[in-house]
Amino acid sequence: MKTTIKKAILPAAGLGTRFLPATKASPKEMMPIVDKPLIQYAVEESLSCGIKDFIIITGKYKRAIEDHFDTAYRLEEKLRASGKETILKELNKLNNINLAYIRQRVPLGLGHAILCARPFVKDEPFAVILSDDVIDPGYPLLKEMITVYEKKKCPVIALQEVPKSEVHRYGIVDGKQEGAVYKIKNMVEKPAPDKAPSNLAIIGRYILTPEIFKILERQKPGAGGEIQLTDALKSLVKKTPVYGYLIKGKRYDAGDKLGYLQATVDFALKNKELSEGFKKYLVEKVKDLP
Ligand code: G1P
């Protein structure tokens, strides 16, 4: 895909409290769905759009992410010696990507994490991908968003309708539908159900322009005492059009235990080696359910 979006920021400094104790000393971004860590799905999704430069925002206990994307010489030697070429090929698939790691020294929120990437992004448009929002790999959401961006040359944010009872977990937008997109008028981070302007939630895929950095620089803490990307985007909306793109495929909230399990089941059912045995198991299991 030909695009002006060359870089993706992958925020990975969050504490992952919803998965404690699993995330006490290891990154939630490294939690696997079947056999691949969440952050690798995000990287592969970007690669399928021609994005090869990644800026990963890390923090304490996140070194496993760097090791994961590094070459593992001894492991590779062993695999080669035992003729395990398929796994070797799988491991080497990501050899051509460029990675920069920035440590967010204090966990000040998503907006601050994005601001940390500024010196590496400079004045280019870029993608932001939150690894715990997993998109079905068969559905090209990011590609569709980039296509919208290339037409409008304005920020594009992924949206999904959520039940009213869940609006407090998301950034919620107020927008007006204009053909295939929403022109966003306002947005609010994690509102109470009676304060939510709609049930259109922001999902962790953004195509942003560098103007956001100037706003983030001065952004005051918002919901949860954190510097919120949503609050900065709310200010941006007053200066330049910002579009919402309603997602049309399957998305899993893998930052939530139920969503994580749903992703695991669906991905296992689509996995060539696992699907038959796993389906058999599930059918038996369903029979036993109370
Ligand atoms: C972040 C954003 C929120 C968005 C959500 C999507 O929240 O701040 O606006 O709706 O991602 O997953 P978090 O899940 O990091 O609390």
Side-chain angles (χ1 to χ4, degrees), residues 18 110 130 132-133 169-171 189-190 201-204 206 228 230 251:
R18 284 191 282 173
L110 178 61
L130 308 186
D132 50 11
D133 273 323
R169 287 171 42 191
Y170 297 95
E189 180 69 8
K190 305 202 170 79
I202 300 173
I203 300 310
Y206 310 73
Q228 297 289 355
T230 305
R251 164 247 170 195

Side-chain angles (χ1 to χ4, degrees), residues 60-105:
K60 253 194 174 44
Y61 306 119
K62 300 285 184 169
R63 288 202 192 132
I65 297 175
E66 290 179 46
D67 289 340
H68 179 70
F69 290 114
D70 198 0
T71 308
Y73 290 107
R74 286 173 79 178
L75 176 66
E76 289 190 13
E77 262 168 38
K78 274 217 142 152
L79 292 172
R80 207 166 287 119
S82 48
K84 300 218 162 95
E85 293 298 328
T86 320
I87 309 180
L88 203 56
K89 224 167 132 194
E90 179 66 29
L91 287 185
N92 288 332
K93 217 167 65 178
L94 300 179
N95 278 358
N96 292 330
I97 62 175
N98 302 310
L99 292 151
Y101 297 92
I102 301 178
R103 187 111 166 184
Q104 185 186 23
R105 292 195 187 104

Side-chain angles (χ1 to χ4, degrees), residues 258-275:
L258 188 59
Y260 179 78
L261 290 173
Q262 288 165 347
T264 303
V265 169
D266 284 3
F267 282 38
L269 285 171
K270 281 187 190 159
N271 182 290
K272 270 191 220 137
E273 281 165 36
L274 291 173
S275 62

